[in-house]
Amino acid sequence: MEGFVALYIFMLAAVTGYEIISKVPVILHTPLMSGSNFIHGIVLVGAMVAMGHAETTTQTVIGFIAVVLAAGNAVGGYVVTERMLEMFKSSNSNNKDKKEG
Amino acid sequence: MPDLVIQATYFLGALLFILGLKQMSSPVTARRGIVWAGVGMVLATLITYFHHEINHNYILMTVAIAIGGIIAYVSGKKVAMTDMPQMIALYNGMGGGAAAAIAAVVLIQQQPMSLTVQTLAVVGALIGTVAFSGSLIAFFKLQGIMKGVIRFPMQQWMNALVFVITLTFGLAIILSGTQYEMSSLAIFFVLALVFGVLMTVPIGGADMPVVISLYNALTGLAVGFEGFVLENPAMMIAGIVVGSAGTLLTQLMAKAMNRPITNVLFSNFGDGGSGESSDVSGSMKEIDSTDVAVMMAFAEKVIVIPGYGMAVAQAQHKVWEMTKQLQERGVSVKFAIHPVAGRMPGHMNVLLAEAGVPYDIIYDLDEINDEFATTDVVLVIGANDVVNPAARTDANSPIYGMPILNADYAKNVIVVKRGKGAGFSGIENHLFFADNTRMLYGDGQAVASELVSNIKEL
């Protein structure tokens, strides 16, 4: 990939991540850390590619470990985040958006 | 399958991640957010089976996904809410390990790459490996498998030395193109593993959340870097977004604890101020639960300050029951949460939410601190340092400067506490000796149950 295109992606993604988090109430810090923990579970895709073009047994074994770990990251991250967010409910729908922003 | 379809799916996946993360940043839409991100993940994973670089190992790959997925699913469903932080650490470590393993496969293949790509592969490997072993140590510590902190003389120098040697090996691999030895690659990974362990063992339990958040950001970066190496835009974007979001989250947490991130990593808690407890005037005055029940039932405004002690005693359900009783009597009850209550910022909110407390009667420090002066009764249950006025007044105190909840400004303060000793951090709490403070001794859950039945009888 072109060096500068990569650099642009890097910059824009970094700004996006920063902007998303900067307006978050403290109440959501732990769920959000857990949520972002889930999102880097996308490493599973890379682990599959690494395993899928492994050339030797050693590479296959390392690739296998990578896929196991990555799948654990993705699934575990999702389950834990979902369980946490499931609990957020409001006592009164009228002042539902009080805590936003 | 045409490459276009695969690339389009990755694009959609990345978009769903960003939108999902955005939705997760408000309590109203948060649940939808994780589902969106989940859909993105499933799409990206399924389409990868058709990736042109994958030409074999399909069955083995599916087996691996099943193994990792099932173990994580079962453990994630079973874990208690109080143990959430260490599970996040564990899953995060797995992600870091996966990123490092990808780098290992790429580097073992010794295919010619540009200097930039090879640098990203090596740096990603280093960061991922450190996040892997560091997160595991954090998990062991929070799980109680590994107790206390390990410190020895010249520790920081030794860590620095290991880091420099690791970097040297990494640099050698980068500069030698495809000519590096497999043994030096192995040494590089082992050193990185050791560094992650060394860096984490001296850090105390109270600082663990900040460290987990930091490793979360590092794993994101590692995933992003390996995404550049594999030319996989979904990994690049998701990884870098998490890397930067995680860095900000780490800073916010460190700020909430009034501990610069460098202090968390390179110094030891309590070393700053003098260890001696400064002179405390007055004495602790006891009260029994019948009086507390009367006090709260006839108050206009009550604020509950829960701490991790409440969660450990599993008292949050009883506290919520008590809150409902008070609300029926027309008492205004609010919960005040310090940013570092629980084991992580927001952890206490999750624990209260588990008990059914609606999030709109839960307030954070900035929102509620001015209200204490007009509050009749403050009930401190299982919290300690976060209400210690020494943070405002005593420059020698290790927690001096940390923002605290101004519970001492209220008309009456009731502190529920197991015994008379100092708290988790061993710092004497001046609030306990104040004239308007009464101590209610006992286990959090037992005390809360007593309060519930006493209020009922009124």
Side-chain angles (χ1 to χ4, degrees):
Chain A
M1 189 168 299
E2 292 285 322
F4 264 97
V5 175
L7 207 59
Y8 278 119
I9 295 178
F10 189 100
M11 176 191 75
L12 291 172
V15 171
T16 307
Y18 196 91
E19 274 301 307
I20 288 174
I21 300 284
S22 60
K23 296 177 201 83
V24 169
V26 180
I27 166 175
L28 280 171
H29 277 180
T30 294
L32 210 62
M33 168 154 55
S34 180
S36 57
N37 180 34
F38 161 67
I39 284 173
H40 65 54
I42 188 66
V43 69
L44 175 58
V45 167
M48 289 167 74
V49 171
M51 189 179 174
H53 72 238
E55 288 153 8
T56 62
T57 315
T58 317
Q59 291 172 21
T60 308
V61 170
I62 298 175
F64 186 83
I65 295 170
V67 176
V68 171
L69 291 175
N73 181 184
V75 174
Y78 185 88
V79 171
V80 165
T81 312
E82 216 261 340
R83 271 186 64 191
M84 273 193 244
L85 292 177
E86 206 174 297
M87 293 164 184
F88 286 97
K89 44 184 171 252
S90 147
S91 66
N92 184 344
S93 46
N94 290 335
N95 49 7
K96 222 176 182 180
D97 36 15
K98 183 184 69 68
K99 282 245 167 180
E100 274 187 291
Chain B
M1 186 162 303
D3 197 45
L4 184 70
V5 179
I6 295 175
Q7 292 305 327
T9 310
Y10 283 153
F11 178 81
L12 185 65
L15 187 68
L16 283 170
F17 287 153
I18 293 175
L19 293 178
L21 205 55
K22 177 74 199 159
Q23 307 234 32
M24 267 187 259
S25 60
S26 155
V28 183
T29 53
R31 284 204 64 190
R32 202 185 320 151
I34 183 70
V35 175
W36 285 28
V39 171
M41 187 73 74
V42 171
L43 285 179
T45 307
L46 289 180
I47 205 73
T48 302
Y49 273 100
F50 303 99
H51 197 284
H52 62 93
E53 277 182 58
I54 300 181
N55 43 35
H56 63 307
N57 281 343
Y58 289 101
I59 295 172
L60 215 51
M61 199 182 290
T62 312
V63 171
I65 294 176
I67 293 175
I70 290 171
I71 293 174
Y73 183 85
V74 173
S75 61
K77 281 281 180 198
K78 263 175 42 186
V79 64
M81 274 295 152
T82 38
D83 292 341
M84 255 348 157
Q86 52 263 50
M87 289 319 281
I88 298 177
L90 185 63
Y91 299 139
N92 177 54
M94 294 172 91
I102 292 170
V105 172
V106 171
L107 289 169
I108 288 174
Q109 289 177 339
Q110 290 193 316
Q111 282 158 358
M113 329 176 224
S114 75
L115 188 65
T116 319
V117 172
Q118 193 154 345
T119 307
L120 286 172
V122 170
V123 174
L126 173 63
I127 298 174
T129 311
V130 170
F132 171 70
S133 58
S135 296
L136 283 188
I137 297 294
F139 169 76
F140 289 146
K141 282 191 166 197
L142 287 175
Q143 191 69 18
I145 296 170
M146 189 174 162
K147 288 200 173 71
V149 291
I150 298 165
R151 289 174 191 150
F152 46 84
M154 308 283 283
Q155 192 164 15
Q156 300 301 346
W157 290 107
M158 184 167 147
N159 290 2
L161 185 70
V162 173
F163 187 62
V164 169
I165 299 174
T166 316
L167 275 188
T168 313
F169 271 92
L171 198 65
I173 292 168
I174 294 169
L175 293 179
S176 57
T178 58
Q179 301 304 309
Y180 49 87
E181 297 289 326
M182 280 306 122
S183 57
S184 57
L185 191 62
I187 294 172
F188 168 72
F189 274 105
V190 170
L191 282 172
L193 276 175
V194 171
F195 179 70
V197 174
L198 286 176
M199 195 170 124
T200 320
V201 289
I203 299 172
D207 284 333
M208 267 312 148
V210 183
V211 175
I212 295 173
S213 178
L214 179 73
Y215 287 144
N216 185 40
L218 287 181
T219 302
L221 269 188
V223 171
F225 285 175
E226 298 313 325
F228 281 105
V229 175
L230 297 175
E231 297 191 1
N232 186 312
M235 274 172 79
M236 281 194 258
I237 294 171
I240 300 301
V241 166
V242 171
S244 97
T247 307
L248 180 61
L249 208 52
T250 311
Q251 284 173 344
L252 289 176
M253 285 189 192
K255 208 173 112 195
M257 298 173 78
N258 194 39
R259 305 252 294 136
I261 185 74
T262 47
N263 277 20
V264 173
L265 294 178
F266 304 116
S267 86
N268 307 323
F269 191 59
D271 277 8
S274 64
E276 309 141 36
S277 59
S278 51
D279 49 330
V280 188
S281 58
S283 59
M284 296 202 233
K285 293 159 286 283
E286 222 176 310
I287 192 169
D288 65 39
S289 61
T290 346
D291 292 341
V292 176
V294 174
M295 232 169 165
M296 291 199 296
F298 295 100
E300 266 178 42
K301 197 167 161 190
V302 173
I303 294 179
V304 181
I305 301 180
Y308 191 65
M310 181 200 71
V312 171
Q314 289 292 318
Q316 60 268 44
H317 298 274
K318 284 289 170 193
V319 170
W320 171 229
E321 207 179 320
M322 180 198 81
T323 306
K324 281 188 286 189
Q325 286 180 327
L326 292 172
Q327 282 174 337
E328 277 162 28
R329 289 175 158 269
V331 184
S332 142
V333 185
K334 290 177 180 175
F335 284 81
I337 312 274
H338 190 274
V340 297
R343 287 278 175 88
M344 280 192 205
H347 189 206
M348 187 53 62
N349 304 74
V350 173
L351 295 171
L352 288 177
E354 188 191 17
V357 181
Y359 66 78
D360 46 18
I361 64 167
I362 301 174
Y363 294 80
D364 58 28
L365 187 131
D366 295 331
E367 292 174 312
I368 205 161
N369 240 353
D370 295 332
E371 288 191 33
F372 282 105
T374 57
T375 300
D376 303 303
V377 182
V378 169
L379 183 72
V380 180
I381 176 161
N384 189 344
D385 293 333
V386 298
V387 290
N388 191 348
R392 276 199 310 260
T393 54
D394 183 0
N396 286 325
S397 174
I399 58 167
Y400 181 69
M402 179 173 90
I404 58 156
L405 289 161
N406 295 327
D408 52 328
Y409 293 170
K411 286 171 199 137
N412 297 287
V413 182
I414 309 294
V415 178
V416 179
K417 204 167 172 301
R418 284 180 78 89
K420 295 184 183 181
F424 184 51
S425 59
I427 305 162
E428 203 68 72
N429 193 330
H430 295 208
L431 176 71
F432 299 170
F433 300 90
D435 289 335
N436 54 345
T437 302
R438 295 291 177 274
M439 306 298 290
L440 180 53
Y441 292 112
D443 170 73
Q445 191 174 2
V447 167
S449 316
E450 276 174 39
L451 288 174
V452 167
S453 55
N454 287 338
I455 295 173
K456 203 175 282 171
E457 283 166 21
L458 287 173

